[in-house]
Amino acid sequence: MIQVSLLGATGSIGESTLDVLARNADRYQLFAVSGYRRLDQLFNICCQFQPSYAVVPQESAASFRQRLADQGLATEVLEGEEGLATIASHEAVQVVVAAIVGAAGLLPTLAAVEAGKRILLANKEALVVAGALFMDAVRKHQATLLPVDSEHNAIFQCLPDHFGKQPLADQGIEKLLLTASGGPFRGWSLSDLAGVTPAQAVAHPNWSMGQKISVDSATLMNKGLELIEACWLFNLQPASIEVVVHPQSIIHSLVSYRDGSVLAQLGNPDMRTPIAHALAWPERIDAGVAPLDLMTAGALHFEQPDEQAFPCLNLARQAFISGGTAAATLNAANEVAVEAFLQKRLAFNQIPELIEEVLQLTNIQPANNLDILLSEDRHARDVAGRCLTRFSKP
């Protein structure tokens, strides 16, 4: 039995992972889980899967521990960052699913890397915030890093089997094409976006995702973060990665080769497919996803992203090019901006304005170590908080 630690069990990726694990219970056992806000949901997961460990915030540990004891469950409750690092690096674990949203997922994911685990990476912020240090650690500790984001997993599936042993250009690859659905506001002008509400922004047309990721998809920041992630995963510069809006979300990404071939990975928009692929790679297992029916899929549409109406994509691109701590600053400012938007303290089209202002007010530092990155993350959040007070409430 392959033992799995699931970091972020109560989010959308966590739910999809649990479904895949349940369908393949003869191969995989849930060893440990973590949750932050939805502790009732985490309790139900513990009742169903009976993991050895569950990690919750320190202030919730005592009551959660008592609930498990009252149910007669032997699951041991750990607390906070230390608990996350424990279940990510535990000697009994072979696979770690890194699905904690935001920069909070960086440290436990690094703990899994340093323990040489197979990491199913759904936390793109780990690479956005600490890309160079993270990839150096993967190589140093001989960890196996497999992307779970549908776009990066699609690219991985379309690459040669010997990917990673030499640069992509030496393998006949011209560029990567990263697909984007365009979100719920595709085709809207900048003026149209002024009155967007949180309820509208989280209503993604194709995917079932958490609120933060859904807003990022609506602003195209999610695609910007994915572009940065792709640069680190595949050792490329942004000039070699083209973002293509594909509203049907049937083609999940493509790889363009020198001989004119373009390989694409197609499938129904369901995160269980990339999760199952990364979990079992190089084998294939049941994901519970119906095969794509090309006869009913209809026409497939492609267009360029509108970076004037959705400037977050270019902000992310420029942050990667700037290097150092710029991407960490971008990510921190975005997390503050999105939270403020969800709380109705910031207008939708002010999200990129706040991020750009924070980038302008923050000096880029060399990203020489994790302490610098974490310090700049905190500093950027402080700056974003101060800037937020100057924006008029929507």
Side-chain angles (χ1 to χ4, degrees):
M1 294 290 285
I2 296 172
Q3 303 294 318
V4 179
S5 279
L6 176 52
L7 311 180
T10 61
S12 59
I13 295 294
E15 291 175 359
S16 294
T17 301
L18 292 170
D19 185 85
V20 174
L21 293 177
R23 292 173 186 276
N24 297 273
D26 59 326
R27 297 185 54 163
Y28 303 100
Q29 184 172 4
L30 187 64
F31 179 79
V33 292
S34 79
Y36 185 66
R37 289 192 180 95
R38 303 171 186 164
L39 296 187
D40 287 343
Q41 185 177 340
L42 189 70
F43 175 75
N44 292 334
I45 292 169
C46 291
C47 291
Q48 179 182 353
F49 290 89
Q50 300 186 24
S52 297
Y53 294 95
V55 181
V56 299
Q58 184 177 16
E59 61 272 18
S60 306
S63 59
F64 196 81
R65 193 175 286 118
Q66 187 61 53
R67 287 184 71 183
L68 293 178
D70 291 345
Q71 195 67 22
L73 298 175
T75 300
E76 183 177 345
V77 176
L78 305 178
E79 303 173 12
E81 288 187 359
E82 185 176 349
L84 289 172
T86 297
I87 66 170
S89 59
H90 198 285
E91 61 182 4
V93 171
Q94 289 84 47
V95 175
V96 176
V97 181
I100 296 175
V101 175
L106 171 59
L107 292 178
T109 307
L110 267 176
V113 168
E114 292 169 355
K117 306 298 185 184
R118 172 185 285 220
I119 297 113
L120 276 56
L121 187 67
N123 172 268
K124 62 180 63 67
E125 289 84 0
L127 282 174
V128 171
V129 173
L133 293 175
F134 191 93
M135 295 307 295
D136 285 346
V138 169
R139 288 185 286 269
K140 177 181 177 181
H141 299 284
Q142 299 182 336
T144 301
L145 185 65
L146 297 172
V148 165
D149 270 345
S150 60
E151 297 82 359
H152 304 86
N153 182 266
I155 290 168
F156 180 73
Q157 293 194 49
C158 294
L159 292 176
D161 290 339
H162 48 284
F163 159 68
K165 297 180 181 177
Q166 54 183 313
L168 294 187
D170 294 346
Q171 300 175 68
I173 294 170
E174 291 284 349
K175 64 179 177 179
L176 308 181
L177 293 97
L178 201 63
T179 58
S181 70
F185 309 127
R186 181 178 65 88
W188 290 35
S189 68
L190 193 58
S191 59
D192 292 335
L193 296 169
V196 163
T197 67
Q200 290 174 302
V202 301
H204 195 281
N206 300 336
W207 297 95
S208 175
M209 305 183 293
Q211 285 192 322
K212 194 269 182 183
I213 298 176
S214 295
V215 174
D216 282 348
S217 178
T219 64
L220 288 195
M221 178 57 87
N222 194 50
K223 205 53 49 180
L225 299 178
E226 288 177 359
L227 185 145
I228 295 173
E229 182 183 8
C231 287
W232 290 116
L233 282 171
F234 305 115
N235 193 25
L236 293 173
Q237 292 297 312
S240 298
I241 303 174
E242 181 180 351
V243 174
V244 179
V245 174
H246 167 53
Q248 292 81 16
S249 297
I250 296 297
I251 295 178
H252 299 297
S253 276
L254 311 92
V255 176
S256 178
Y257 284 82
R258 188 175 300 132
D259 61 5
S261 299
V262 179
L263 303 188
Q265 188 265 336
L266 288 73
N268 289 312
D270 192 316
M271 286 305 299
R272 290 177 296 176
T273 294
I275 290 167
H277 173 266
L279 191 63
W281 180 83
E283 300 178 50
R284 300 274 181 167
I285 58 174
D286 176 30
V289 181
L292 178 66
D293 185 348
L294 292 174
M295 298 303 104
T296 60
L300 302 181
H301 176 73
F302 305 92
E303 62 187 51
Q304 290 184 332
D306 182 354
E307 296 191 24
Q308 182 175 358
F310 302 95
C312 283
L313 175 56
N314 190 53
L315 288 175
R317 183 186 294 115
Q318 294 306 315
F320 180 86
I321 293 171
S322 297
T325 57
T329 297
L330 170 99
N331 180 73
N334 179 63
E335 289 189 12
V336 172
V338 170
E339 184 64 25
F341 167 70
L342 289 170
Q343 295 173 355
K344 299 183 179 180
R345 295 189 294 126
L346 191 69
F348 181 83
N349 56 7
Q350 290 177 324
I351 293 174
E353 294 177 14
L354 177 64
I355 296 167
E356 186 170 16
E357 184 168 340
V358 174
L359 286 167
Q360 291 172 349
L361 292 173
T362 308
N363 294 324
I364 299 173
Q365 306 291 331
N368 294 331
N369 58 61
L370 193 58
D371 288 339
I372 290 174
L373 287 166
L374 294 177
S375 175
E376 286 303 304
D377 175 87
R378 291 189 296 269
H379 176 62
R381 292 173 195 274
D382 290 341
V383 173
R386 293 196 297 271
C387 290
L388 187 60
T389 63
R390 298 200 297 273
F391 282 79
S392 59
K393 294 182 180 180

